[in-house]
Amino acid sequence: MNRRLAAGAAVVGTAAVLTLAGCGADGDDGESSGAGTIGVAMPTESSERWITDGETLESGLEEAGYDVDLRYAGDDTAGFKQADQVQAMIDGGAELLIIAAVDGAGLGDQLEAAAAQNIPVIAYDRLLLDSDGVDHYVTFDNYAVGVAQATSLLRGLGVVDADGEPTGDEGPYNIELFAGSLDDNNAHIFWQGALDTLQPYLDDGVVKVPSGQTDIVQAESWRWSGDLAQDRMSGLLAQFYGDGTTLDGVLSPYDGISRGAITALALDGLGPTIADGMPVVTGQDAEADSVKLINEKMQYSTVFKDTRALADEAVRAAVAYLEGGEPEVNDTGTYDNGVKVVPTFLLDVATVYRRDIDEVLVDSGYYTAEEVDAG
Ligand code: GAL
């Protein structure tokens, strides 16, 4: 992990770190010498991406001269853990909050308290909902993530080519659809991007969903749970594929869900590789365990979001606020949280297929070759 972070800072974060370090040296000594604390609330340590996010934020903020109060909410199964953590950060004198919410609408009281004390709040990757008390949002282009997932599914089926253009293959291919946790705004946007992309092919009958479960509520995996996805996949196989119907593809919005689905598919005797009959399964986050599966030709693709770049962007935004300025934004229209349109900085995403692993993930220093080797 350290090696990865060190390499990441070298590849992606150099400019940011130098700039921020420079700010600290030239700026107000009181703010940049460790006097100010920034609260960083992350949702869970059960997924490696959030650990990387937390560590990159912590090191970037410390480089910029701030103390960091970093807390993980364990996916907040009891319902209040993250709210309590954020409250403790406010009570502890945090000057700014960076929050990746477990439940996007679950921190209303804390955001109100922060606003009352003029504590800027940055929503990190996941939008904070139903509150005035969120000032800025850093995330990836979430609609583009959904489009990328559906496009790679269609590509894996042979329905579109490498440019996303129809090949003329009319199928029909059988697919099943999975969604993330419905209390995470991102799950809805990924779904929208994916369904908009699939819809013409569903309308033409090129792809079909034998279960008929095309509503996001039916497709949900609460808390992005791989175990729940595995259970649902097993149930779908038993109920709709027991008669020998072939399942060709699975739309999965997140690598943990992909691995759950693949486990169920393998237990049902499919595969082991896509060439042997494992359905085409998509993903997101380029988690090492899934990149290994892509190397092994069991998972088809993932969507890589460079969390080092996201953390760097959040650090830049935090420093801008604490030095009395405003952070840069590149989207002022998309992210309505129910109360306000939150000014946003969006980053790009990249679909990763097996052939891209070395160039996109290893050469960039995100992983060492050993970390994602099929072994
Ligand atoms: C989403 C995030 C995804 C994935 C998922 C599960 O909010 O955008 O990249 O990490 O949570 O952790």
Side-chain angles (χ1 to χ4, degrees):
M1 186 65 74
N2 286 340
R3 205 159 142 200
R4 182 161 121 213
L5 287 174
V11 174
V12 171
T14 309
V17 169
L18 291 179
T19 313
L20 297 171
C23 289
D26 298 338
D28 174 354
D29 282 342
E31 281 188 356
S32 58
S33 61
T37 297
I38 294 178
V40 177
M42 292 286 113
T44 178
E45 286 173 293
S46 68
S47 154
E48 66 183 51
R49 70 149 291 187
W50 296 114
I51 298 174
T52 309
D53 282 316
E55 289 179 351
T56 315
L57 281 167
E58 186 171 43
S59 59
L61 292 166
E62 285 175 356
E63 288 254 15
Y66 297 95
D67 291 331
V68 178
D69 182 357
L70 167 64
R71 303 188 193 212
Y72 286 89
D75 255 343
D76 208 1
T77 41
F80 299 106
K81 184 160 181 188
Q82 192 167 49
D84 291 345
Q85 290 178 332
V86 172
Q87 192 60 54
M89 291 171 187
I90 295 169
D91 296 344
E95 292 187 7
L96 181 142
L97 298 170
I98 298 175
I99 302 173
V102 176
D103 174 352
L107 298 171
D109 292 348
Q110 289 68 39
L111 299 183
E112 209 176 297
Q117 295 178 48
N118 292 321
I119 299 170
V121 174
I122 298 172
Y124 186 86
D125 200 36
R126 298 174 172 177
L127 187 57
L128 292 159
L129 301 170
D130 300 339
S131 172
D132 227 356
V134 49
D135 299 286
H136 183 74
Y137 183 31
V138 291
T139 191
F140 295 89
D141 185 336
N142 293 303
Y143 186 84
V145 170
V147 171
Q149 288 165 340
T151 302
S152 75
L153 176 59
L154 293 169
R155 185 174 169 188
L157 297 174
V159 170
V160 303
D161 63 18
D163 299 322
E165 297 302 324
T167 59
D169 184 343
E170 292 183 350
Y173 294 103
N174 293 328
I175 63 170
E176 294 295 338
L177 312 175
F178 283 73
S181 197
L182 296 192
D183 55 356
D184 180 346
N185 189 57
N186 289 352
H188 299 268
I189 304 180
F190 301 151
W191 179 264
Q192 193 64 51
L195 267 286
D196 286 353
T197 307
L198 293 175
Q199 200 60 54
Y201 300 93
L202 289 165
D203 290 345
D204 289 352
V206 176
V207 293
K208 296 174 184 296
V209 182
S211 70
Q213 297 187 9
T214 55
D215 189 298
I216 192 171
V217 174
Q218 297 169 307
E220 177 183 28
S221 272
W222 174 247
R223 295 282 184 262
W224 304 88
S225 162
D227 289 346
L228 290 178
Q230 181 181 337
D231 288 351
R232 176 165 178 261
M233 187 78 256
S234 295
L236 292 173
L237 288 169
Q239 204 179 341
F240 301 101
Y241 296 86
D243 60 358
T245 302
T246 304
L247 175 61
D248 301 299
V250 176
L251 176 80
S252 165
Y254 160 60
D255 284 343
I257 291 175
S258 315
R259 293 194 298 277
I262 288 170
T263 302
L265 295 164
L267 286 171
D268 201 56
L270 298 175
T273 68
I274 296 168
D276 302 321
M278 174 64 74
V280 171
V281 182
T282 64
Q284 176 173 207
D285 282 353
E287 292 197 329
D289 286 343
S290 279
V291 180
K292 284 183 196 162
L293 287 183
I294 295 172
N295 255 328
E296 288 170 344
K297 305 181 182 173
M298 295 173 76
Q299 183 172 325
Y300 182 63
S301 63
T302 188
V303 175
F304 173 52
K305 306 196 299 192
D306 193 331
T307 53
R308 300 166 302 188
L310 185 66
D312 282 346
E313 197 48 55
V315 171
R316 255 192 290 276
V319 171
Y321 276 127
L322 292 175
E323 296 194 338
E326 290 283 329
E328 193 186 335
V329 297
N330 59 14
D331 185 305
T332 52
T334 305
Y335 287 97
D336 187 336
N337 80 345
V339 175
K340 66 189 276 194
V341 177
V342 183
T344 298
F345 192 96
L346 287 180
L347 290 108
D348 291 334
V349 303
T351 306
V352 171
Y353 298 96
R354 190 164 181 273
R355 69 185 75 86
D356 306 313
I357 291 173
D358 281 349
E359 190 185 329
V360 178
L361 300 176
V362 177
D363 294 353
S364 76
Y366 199 73
Y367 289 125
T368 63
E370 297 74 48
E371 282 171 319
V372 292
D373 196 13

